[in-house]
Amino acid sequence: MIAVFSFVLYLSSLLWKPFFYVAILFQGAYILSRGVALGRLPLVGLHDTLTFLSFSTAIFSVPFYLTLKEKKGFLESMAVLAAVFAILGYLSPQVNTPLPPVLKTYWFELHVVLSFFSYGLFGIGAILGLRYLFLSDSDTEALQYKAILIGYLIFSLSMVFGGIWAFLAWGTYWLWTPKEIWTTLLWLTYTLYLHLRFRPWWLGKKIVITGIAGYLVVLFTYLGVGLLMKSSHSF
Amino acid sequence: MYSILKSIRTTNFLLMFLMGLLVYGAVAMPLSPSFESLASMALFDWLKTAPLAASWWLYGSMVVVFLLVINTVVCSVDSVLKKRKGRHWLLTISPQVIHAGFCFIMLAHLVSSYGSFHKHAVLYEGYGVTLDSGVEVYLKRINSRVESGHVTDMEAEIFYKYPDGSVSQDAISPNNPSFMDGTGLYLKKVTLKPAPAALVLFSYDPGAPWALVGGVLFLSGIFTLVILKLQDRNQALIDTDTV
């Protein structure tokens, strides 16, 4: 019920902004209550991960909102994105079984939490990119860069922790599966974004669109690969 | 030639080309049964047996990664030489630390592709196998906990018997392997019926230490770079000074 309530609150924030913060609080409380009820980190299965993605996207958008000079429309866009993930999470089945032994490690928890934090930041980067296409202000483009740069740091951290976990669980830090390859593609996409910024020809709309395209790779890596392909990340 | 190798334009083209190959590979992989054995073999051993029609994108990726590593090294050396007397020493060096980390990670993949192996074996309580080094490993006892029909914890007590007759004990559980002469023993599954037995993975990945070194370097470099970039709000906009 709290999960639906946070969805409603995110949408209500389109009318009155403070609801956005209340939605974050409600969603945080819901995630905490799931964790307490399950006795583990509630980050297994689509219900929990989508809810956490919604929460990460919303909570990380706050500092960017406070930093933006031209704030109009930003929080509303973030609220819609967070609401979409929140309702998709609510509609997805919960996984309430105990954790398989292989997932009982801090490496897994760090890997997953940091992955979704970075996905949240990449989502903010995409929204800021879309804003730039309409407003064309350099402040928004600079903030997109910062969101993606911090997201890239956190994503890299998550990948290193994932590699350590994989070595301890499966005897190798790398597996040749579509999930790993798409994850590498995601990392390469943002690596390319960061390198393209050094070429003056790419600055402006082209680089911003690259940042938006990166988020499509994020969504496919997270949702598309899991739903369409056999994955080493299915437990 | 040197100007092409040090160019960031070359980096960008190579990255795009590599991404194209990997997109093809990620789509082709689930469609070809040849890839089913890839997870259990060293890459170069697998490539010897795989049909070229299935593996060509991996050969292509290796060539592009090789060129990317050369481009990275040349670009980094050139950048450090040009800016060694600059005032922003940390800002100059941190991208190069990231690049060094990337090179170590690629080295790790190269080493793993040559010499790694992953073999499964079923061990029954009281029985064992002999490793290549002559050391015997035995499964002493299995402990497991089941909650609501799900195995929530499992452990296998093992002991090693060395060629000189001495014995040492250890225990393995998920995420807690035991290592002997570089080979890891991993507990994958246990069963108590019809007889207590464990599915054990014997894994050797010589690239893992290099990957760890690469990961640490990569993270140190990017962490420093992010801190420096965030300190200066305006610098985030256009910065062609740190490649």
Side-chain angles (χ1 to χ4, degrees):
Chain A
M1 198 62 209
I2 306 176
V4 185
F5 204 49
S6 57
F7 162 74
V8 174
L9 281 167
Y10 279 127
L11 288 186
S12 305
S13 72
L14 298 176
L15 302 172
W16 195 53
K17 283 192 181 67
F19 276 136
F20 187 80
Y21 303 102
V22 182
I24 292 174
L25 287 176
F26 264 87
Q27 209 166 29
Y30 174 70
I31 292 166
L32 196 67
S33 68
R34 284 274 298 158
V36 170
L38 294 169
R40 61 168 169 83
L41 194 74
L43 274 177
V44 177
L46 273 179
H47 171 81
D48 289 323
T49 54
L50 278 165
T51 305
F52 194 73
L53 177 58
S54 168
F55 177 73
S56 303
T57 305
I59 201 159
F60 277 115
S61 65
V62 175
F64 286 90
Y65 174 68
L66 298 175
T67 315
L68 262 178
K69 284 175 191 160
E70 175 56 54
K71 298 181 194 300
K72 195 179 173 187
F74 175 72
L75 211 60
E76 288 82 350
S77 310
M78 296 314 306
V80 170
L81 190 62
V84 168
F85 291 136
I87 195 66
L88 286 175
Y90 174 71
L91 295 172
S92 304
Q94 293 182 347
V95 177
N96 295 326
T97 52
L99 273 187
V102 75
L103 301 187
K104 288 182 179 175
T105 164
Y106 289 121
W107 296 115
F108 160 73
E109 294 178 349
L110 286 167
H111 171 61
V112 179
V113 168
L114 292 172
S115 289
F116 284 102
F117 280 169
S118 67
Y119 291 177
L121 282 157
F122 291 145
I124 292 165
I127 294 289
L128 286 165
L130 288 170
R131 267 175 68 85
Y132 178 84
L133 294 180
F134 291 105
L135 301 175
S136 294
D137 72 307
S138 59
D139 181 47
T140 304
E141 196 275 330
L143 273 181
Q144 184 201 35
Y145 170 65
K146 283 192 177 178
I148 289 177
L149 186 65
I150 300 168
Y152 186 79
L153 163 69
I154 295 176
F155 185 69
S156 303
L157 204 57
S158 155
M159 289 304 104
V160 172
F161 290 159
I164 294 171
W165 172 43
F167 180 74
L168 294 174
W170 300 312
T172 179
Y173 59 93
W174 170 263
L175 287 169
W176 281 104
T177 67
K179 180 73 177 184
E180 272 74 8
I181 294 181
W182 274 105
T183 306
T184 306
L185 273 164
L186 167 55
W187 183 79
L188 286 173
T189 305
Y190 286 110
T191 303
L192 180 66
Y193 167 89
L194 294 172
H195 283 81
L196 287 176
R197 288 189 96 259
F198 293 108
R199 302 291 309 161
W201 186 80
W202 278 89
L203 292 176
K205 282 190 179 173
K206 295 184 197 78
I207 196 70
V208 158
I209 290 170
T210 310
I212 297 168
Y215 194 54
L216 298 178
V217 182
V218 169
L219 292 178
F220 186 78
T221 303
Y222 164 47
L223 292 170
V225 177
L227 296 173
L228 300 173
M229 297 175 185
K230 191 180 167 187
S231 167
S232 61
H233 285 62
S234 306
F235 297 97
Chain B
M1 187 68 182
Y2 179 75
S3 61
I4 293 174
L5 282 178
K6 72 163 190 172
S7 165
I8 198 155
R9 191 181 288 181
T10 307
T11 314
N12 293 336
F13 277 121
L14 289 172
L15 282 172
M16 286 182 209
F17 198 41
L18 181 61
M19 286 167 68
L21 288 166
L22 291 181
V23 167
Y24 174 84
V27 173
M29 235 180 172
L31 305 174
S32 171
S34 316
F35 289 100
E36 284 170 12
S37 56
L38 180 54
S40 58
M41 293 171 81
L43 178 64
F44 291 135
D45 290 337
W46 181 85
L47 285 172
K48 285 178 199 164
T49 62
L52 194 62
S55 61
W56 67 268
W57 62 274
L58 277 166
Y59 285 107
S61 301
M62 283 190 282
V63 172
V64 177
V65 166
F66 175 71
L67 293 173
L68 205 50
V69 168
I70 292 175
N71 171 243
T72 304
V73 172
V74 174
C75 190
S76 290
V77 171
D78 185 73
S79 176
V80 171
L81 289 176
K82 273 183 188 163
K83 296 165 193 162
R84 65 186 185 279
K85 286 175 185 167
R87 285 190 302 155
H88 302 290
W89 183 79
L90 259 181
L91 204 56
T92 304
I93 209 72
S94 51
Q96 318 323 328
V97 176
I98 298 172
H99 291 162
F102 164 73
C103 291
F104 270 104
I105 292 168
M106 291 304 105
L107 173 69
H109 277 279
L110 182 68
V111 174
S112 295
S113 299
Y114 262 119
S116 64
F117 69 79
H118 312 282
K119 288 175 186 166
H120 287 89
V122 175
L123 289 182
Y124 289 91
E125 267 187 10
Y127 289 83
V129 292
T130 307
L131 303 177
D132 289 344
S133 60
V135 177
E136 295 166 36
V137 56
Y138 290 87
L139 178 63
K140 187 179 170 188
R141 190 171 27 243
I142 290 170
N143 308 308
S144 67
R145 195 168 71 198
V146 179
E147 279 175 33
S148 322
H150 295 90
V151 177
T152 56
D153 246 325
M154 55 185 180
E155 184 194 62
E157 294 174 33
I158 56 170
F159 65 89
Y160 295 103
K161 198 170 169 184
Y162 300 95
D164 64 1
S166 61
V167 170
S168 72
Q169 297 205 27
D170 205 349
I172 54 175
S173 56
N175 299 307
N176 184 25
S178 172
F179 290 95
M180 175 55 60
D181 299 328
T183 301
L185 268 74
Y186 295 80
L187 183 62
K188 303 291 282 184
K189 266 184 189 172
V190 296
T191 180
L192 299 175
K193 291 175 184 174
L199 178 66
V200 179
L201 167 71
F202 293 88
S203 179
Y204 175 63
D205 195 339
W210 297 111
L212 185 64
V213 171
V216 171
L217 282 172
F218 193 95
L219 291 177
S220 330
I222 195 160
F223 190 76
T224 313
L225 189 66
V226 169
I227 297 287
L228 293 169
K229 293 269 183 180
L230 293 183
Q231 279 176 351
D232 185 352
R233 187 177 156 81
N234 296 323
Q235 193 161 4
L237 188 58
I238 299 175
D239 186 352
T240 54
D241 200 38
T242 54
V243 184

